[in-house]
């Protein structure tokens, strides 16, 4: 199978691709046709099915994996695939990881790193709480590993939430070593849990869109609630510890106008908010550099960095 | 007993007053004395105990009700009581309502009005949820009736939370009649529950200060959590209804920068946020008018109204 | 006559439509043609006149009512009418209300409601002032009934100003009943007059664009001036009452940055600003719900509500 | 008579001073006395009348000119006058200009300069309108010459409005010479009229406080209205010219948040807003320099300039 | 040679034009062609070279002056040139001023005016410093005369920097005459030097884009540095004078959020910031008026003026 | 010598203290006296010299070290020293470190850490540049070690600049290890140099106030200039490296409104701005915790953290 990135005008292509979008239209002459967007991990491409009723065209829907045959042409300067045959692929025929943007780091390796951080927690209750999520709750673990950290912006790929979580926890461990007034167990636990609400705020890949709960409550409140419920399962978990941990989660966006209902009132909450902000902005800059790799000049105004940027020479 | 408002220079006073603050000091000559602030519902006054070791002076603490004997003098243009005798009063000797700012409306009457609104809810599940709070949970009811709606600003008196809640619910009932796209049961239920988190965000009178939970989580998140827990007791309460109700509570400040972690996404949430904002500002203006009653001119710049105001002629 | 909403590809259509826009163009081959937009109360449609010099094509201008014959085709996925014959229609041949977006409520019925509110005013002078506008000034009354409340945004239809005025006055009557410190006659009179400047700020339908005076002075200052001039006709109208009424009009946008040259300094001005804001936002949400009727999911980011919204379930 | 600035501890003083404030108080021993603030153009001083009932003490009120005899002492590091005798002075006994802060420039000379600018206007109608104010309306002229441009901040002295008006008009004349797209008659007329609303927004010296009309409507709307009324007296004054002139007045604060209900839509309105802003800030800096004359270092943070400043060396 | 503004469909055109952009593309049929944008001082136009390999087509690059032969056609309502022959023109064959937007005022005449302002400086050291730039540094002078004052927005043409500099200096001379607390030599020198950093912040026409140094340091810091280096060449130039002059340059944007690292701390810095802001806004309005010349109505919302504007009547 | 913190009412004290302020006054009876503030590293205290002309009183000025004899009394609840004898102390008689707030970390040890970071720089030119400052320039090194990082706010003590610099560099080294797209030598060099302008922006302890240059240019521009001058001494230091390094310094406040004339355009500049912001806020919180040590509750609203905070339990 050829990756979409490698498609060239005139190619005959055949293989399984993920259908990202599909909708029907009518030509000027009144003939129906389908607009389709196919995707793999290297990119996506516009496609047309001009003979929607032909024998070789089996019906399929958005988010199906579809085995297609087609021809690549150029229209208005962009490539386009004219699809001649389609067939919905069976589950064993493809590896979903070939079709989704995915973390550069190995997911299992990152998860191992995360479990190492959990293992370093000395406080019995906090460790037990983390185990409830990261060791015992298999449904949670499966979704957590797959989740992206965002619908758009940064860390927007399979494993993005895990990658961001490990990175923020790593920063907080460093802060705890550097600034002795920080309680290490609290700030690292808060870092590991700060975005768990995203597991249910954004639906799984390939859909990756806000859920109803996500839109109505948001991952900040959802994460705080999830911690509250698991803590109730840990015998002896004190109300005071729970409030402090929930506060760190609620305050981790740092300011009210960024969606935190409370500003940091504990030094660990302040540290976590800086770790999260730093990691998000560094990842954003990294992705901009990658998207412009090979460009020796200025990339133009970047909305999320509020200015024009370039690669360092 | 004479109300503090009526104290005059030269008076000999005797009676039970609430001790709002107490701390020890030393004169220039090294003699210890106590600074005390006494309060009743008409005001508060600075007092001194010069003979802290004398026989007639029994020990007491802030927030005790104290039976005192003293003399009123004038110092630097303000009245001051020199306390000669003190005794901590027993529980039956005084009526707490004489010592606290209190709603002008009768608390039981307002509560009856609130129960009437609950009774008008048609939706079985929402009504059952409201009953869990306002009919079945006696500890909650007791605190709810006594709570103020704020530590400072507006509705800052015993019964203030109840008065504000009934008023906001009344506005929402009117909106529901006026704007047919509103689901009346949802918007009125949300109105009745929107500030219940304040019951535990601010401690009871006479202390009336933010609790640890209040400072760390805030009444918006606390109220949403309280609703979540009670809804679990109502069999058949749908997740969808719960999310919508919690959203209304979370979004009732209208904007992120006012501490809501979500902006209104449902028309009922929007209506509730307007009802709450309107009632708060009207009450603020009302209290300013009352504090300046008799002033025929301009009152000067009012921070919460962002301008200079006067009474209408 | 067929409504534009019902046009289908291949239809032969004939009837009178309002010409919203018209301009001339030239084909690649140098042949002149006309771009025309026709409108009725159900929508608008792009049209072309390819044979601009043909016998059946009579000249007409934007804002004329034109009797046309044409054929509906599809171009780039949108419908388009190729116009074969045109004739400017005479005044009695059509009912303008069929060509303009119009309030769902009956205009005369709303006006009757408004007059009822005027009739309820006890203050002799305020009532006389309202009569000057709403009973005696026929030119004003005619324009007031037809005016929209805005060029875009909300209440943007024939009768929109009247509908918004009645709704805001209704809210103010309710406030006056609920908050006794409000002077009812003043706040209701101010509500009825708050947007009268719009009658001359925006030109009549179908043009519905800002006038020169509207752009240079704005409806807030224009309304205040109009009140000043009519008050001079009411014998005995006190300067103090006039200032208070004009202040309510000047301050009804609530904040300087929203175009009010004064913030509310009287409690009636504050109440009016809340009534106006509440009604505008509720109507905005209502129109969004209507535009998305049938959409069971999230509608996407809404600029005027600053967030993503959906219908309540 | 000795100026207040020259009072020294131990002085016996006698002369006529303006009473700025007066109120009654009671000593610790229950004896009534009066607190008085006396003022002349060099400053103000706290005074006490300890023997309020004595024969030499005649009654007087705030804003009276009072002939006093007293002794200067020092209390808490500040000078204080103990007043022994008082008598209300008659109108011919004093020159009010000795008692008020006053423009450094001669008022009549500035007015002559203003009339010169009026004389240079070529447009017959604009000149006639200016004459209505500055030549024919004697009551207006008298107040205009005496008015301050502000209650506090800058140009806060007798003649301040005149000084600011002449200065802004001078800037606009220069702009008109420099930027040919400006219509000179319009921008200079607008400059001369831009703040005339202040004549009735702030009451006369020595009171110099916002009037009821000033608080409710503001000088921007008041000035626009005044121009509208006078224009009606000038036969043939076109509506178009009036709207443009009123727009310049309404927009002269440049932005909505500074209280203009419209942003500048004409280049003359833009020029006027820059002239007014430039002159206000230059005068503010000038007054800061004068208040710190002799200070060779940094003056500290200046609120109206948003920073720390010093004199240029 | 015909100016681009005068091209009409069907014209055969031949002449030298500046190539603003050039890039290669491929037709649907796989045939390569070139997209070219040609420019002269009257405008720019899209062109195609369909026969890229033909004998008459000589290679050229963006920013070359190219002698072309072609035909004007109309595509999608816009004109387009099909280029048949090309040849890179030699340096003497064209006058660059015919290809670039250029100041309406004569550059040498403006420079003479600037030198006159330099000549009026009394302070020996400031004059010597100005001479270092404007008299002795020929490389600087050449670039300064050609530079635009901006990449977009206002004064965006050859000579724009010079025009803006002379205009701002003229305003400052007027301020110095009007406000005696200004030190004339300092404020005029600062005006002449305030934007010299732009000489190296933006590359020369026709490229006219931000340089690497411009993007990394900005013209404000660059200008301050340039002054520092030249001042070192003027014997006896005091550190105090240098700091004051550099401060004026650093603070000339008036506020931190506009890119000045310091707010004006000297009255000359304040005056300069007003002169610069006034001239920029007046020029912006002037250019809007010119771009809409002949439009008798409203021009629509103008981003840089934050409102809708029109020409004065 | 007794530390000021240990002074008690009635103490006779004798020893050398730093005179922070001194000014003359006159009693009500016309007798001159001196107000003096003495300071050591534990605090400061108000003092009076009542017999300014007496034999034992030798003249001294602010910032002198003065050997005094006096008595401690209590006035208005605060301690006060009545000074009987004074003598200016000679340089060897005291250790300045006893009189100034000083870093808790050893200055020489921190400097050694800094030199270790310099030693780790691989890039020859950057290392040579750092050596110019931190190894070769002894006057700079002496001031750098003594400087505070701020006049108020955080790190406001002797060694504060060094402590902050080492801490920020440490963060940047960690970032460089964590985020591989960072050029370690550049980001660490920028960290070491980012605040060197403060060495001359704020005068030395004990004065510790903004210098004229500091107020006019600010440490951001000063630091960039200092780097430019030293780089000129390093043969072969490329212009490109210099611009990148200066950009990091100019952009290290992250946003224009915080005084950076450029937003971060390089990823190292972004990283540095986060390191600086994180360290400043963590130190601020640390100092708040130290100032409230022993307080088990909430500390109240903290301006620099924009909220109420408490110690973690």
């Amino acid at each position: 199978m050829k990756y979409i990135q490698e498609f060239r005008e005139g190619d005959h292509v055949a293989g399984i691709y993920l259908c990202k979008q599909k909708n029907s239209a009518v030509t000027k002459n009144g003939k129906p046709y389908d607009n389709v967007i196919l995707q793999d991990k290297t990119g996506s491409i516009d496609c047309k099915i001009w003979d929607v009723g032909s024998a070789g065209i089996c019906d399929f829907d958005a988010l199906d994996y579809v085995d297609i045959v087609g021809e690549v042409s150029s229209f208005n300067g962009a490539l386009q695939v004219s699809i001649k045959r389609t067939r919905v692929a069976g589950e064993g025929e493809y590896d979903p990881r070939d079709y989704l943007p995915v973390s550069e780091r190995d997911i299992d390796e990152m998860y191992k790193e995360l479990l190492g951080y959990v293992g370093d927690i000395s406080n019995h209750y906090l460790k037990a709480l983390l185990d409830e999520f990261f060791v015992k709750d298999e449904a949670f673990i499966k979704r957590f590993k797959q989740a992206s950290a965002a619908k758009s912006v940064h860390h927007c790929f399979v494993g993005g939430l895990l990658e961001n979580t490990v990175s923020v926890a790593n920063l907080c461990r460093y802060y705890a070593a550097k600034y002795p007034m920080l309680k290490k167990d609290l700030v690292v636990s808060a870092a590991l849990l700060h975005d768990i609400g995203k597991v249910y705020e954004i639906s799984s890949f390939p859909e990756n869109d806000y859920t109803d709960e996500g839109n109505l409550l948001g991952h900040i409140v959802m994460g705080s609630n999830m911690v509250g419920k698991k803590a109730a399962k840990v015998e002896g978990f004190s109300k005071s510890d729970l409030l402090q941990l929930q506060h760190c989660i609620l305050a981790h966006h740092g300011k009210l106008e960024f969606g935190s209902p409370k500003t940091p009132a504990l030094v660990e909450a302040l540290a976590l908010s800086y770790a999260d902000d730093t990691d998000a902005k560094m990842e954003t800059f990294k992705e901009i550099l990658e998207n412009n790799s090979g460009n020796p000049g200025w990339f133009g105004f970047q909305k999320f960095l509020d200015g024009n940027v370039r690669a360092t020479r």
Side-chain angles (χ1 to χ4, degrees), chain A:
Chain A
M1 184 193 112
K2 191 176 267 189
Y3 283 122
I4 287 170
Q5 209 174 35
E6 297 158 5
F7 284 14
R8 294 289 174 276
E9 196 178 352
D11 284 358
H12 287 259
V13 294
I16 297 171
Y17 299 91
L18 172 65
C19 172
K20 184 75 179 181
Q21 279 181 30
K22 186 185 173 202
N23 52 64
S24 298
V26 181
T27 66
K28 295 183 204 175
N29 306 326
K31 210 183 140 198
Y33 68 96
D34 287 344
N35 288 303
V36 172
I37 297 177
L38 294 182
Q39 164 181 311
D40 65 20
K41 70 180 179 187
T42 69
S44 62
I45 193 165
D46 281 304
C47 311
K48 305 285 172 191
I49 304 177
W50 297 112
D51 301 298
V52 291
S54 89
I57 300 297
C58 300
D59 198 33
F60 62 94
D61 288 321
L63 306 185
D64 281 342
Y65 291 85
V66 193
D67 190 5
I68 63 111
V69 174
E71 282 176 19
V72 182
S73 60
S74 168
F75 182 68
N76 272 344
L79 294 179
Q80 193 178 79
V81 179
S82 173
I83 297 179
K84 305 300 181 193
R85 304 177 64 94
T86 67
R87 182 185 62 85
V88 176
E91 260 210 31
E93 296 185 66
Y94 54 88
D95 181 344
R97 284 173 297 181
D98 291 339
Y99 298 91
L100 301 169
V102 71
S103 171
E104 290 170 15
R105 294 192 55 194
D106 181 74
I107 287 181
D108 289 328
E109 187 192 295
M110 288 191 290
Y111 201 75
K112 209 170 142 192
E113 186 177 341
L114 181 150
L115 290 178
Y117 294 168
V118 173
D120 284 355
I121 300 288
S122 313
N123 179 295
H124 166 73
Y125 303 104
L126 288 170
K127 182 162 183 329
L129 177 71
L130 293 167
D131 284 350
E132 287 292 330
F133 283 104
F134 295 112
V135 176
K136 296 184 181 170
D137 187 339
E138 290 188 17
F140 169 82
I141 294 168
K142 191 178 170 193
R143 289 192 67 139
F144 183 82
K145 285 179 171 179
Q146 297 298 316
S148 83
K151 191 186 153 191
S152 56
V153 197
H154 60 83
H155 285 102
C156 180
F157 45 75
V158 171
L161 176 58
L162 174 55
E163 185 173 324
N164 172 254
T165 298
V166 169
S167 188
V168 169
N170 184 282
L171 271 160
C172 286
R173 283 161 59 98
Y174 167 74
Y175 291 161
K178 182 167 167 46
Y179 299 108
M181 71 280 200
L182 287 169
K183 287 189 191 288
K184 184 180 177 184
D185 282 354
L186 176 58
V187 73
V188 175
S189 298
L192 292 168
L193 296 168
H194 80 286
D195 265 352
I196 55 171
K198 285 189 175 170
V199 164
Y200 303 106
E201 185 192 36
I202 302 176
S203 59
S204 302
F205 275 110
E207 198 187 46
N208 198 38
D209 204 352
Y210 287 101
T211 60
D212 200 52
E213 188 174 2
N215 270 315
L216 290 172
L217 306 189
H219 74 276
I220 287 185
V221 170
M222 290 161 73
S224 166
N225 288 350
M226 288 163 69
V227 164
K229 280 177 188 157
K230 290 282 195 208
K233 295 189 177 178
V234 177
E235 206 180 312
F237 201 103
S238 75
K239 173 141 194 211
S240 171
D241 281 1
L242 177 58
L243 286 178
Q244 295 191 149
L245 187 57
Q246 288 181 311
H247 172 74
C248 290
I249 294 172
L250 291 175
H252 87 260
H253 279 194
K255 296 191 178 182
L256 299 189
E257 58 264 43
F258 300 155
S260 270
K262 280 285 169 185
T263 51
L266 304 174
V267 69
E268 290 80 12
L270 185 76
L272 173 59
S273 74
Y274 269 94
D276 190 46
D277 194 16
T278 301
D279 195 59
K281 278 295 194 312
M282 292 303 285
E283 174 72 16
T284 300
F285 209 125
K286 181 184 159 218
E287 294 179 10
I288 289 170
L289 289 171
E290 287 170 357
N291 291 340
N292 289 276
S293 73
N295 180 346
W298 290 83
F299 305 161
F301 185 82
Q302 306 295 319
K303 188 184 161 194
F304 291 106
L305 299 176
D306 198 28
N308 190 359
V309 307
R310 69 159 166 82
T312 307
R313 283 157 201 167

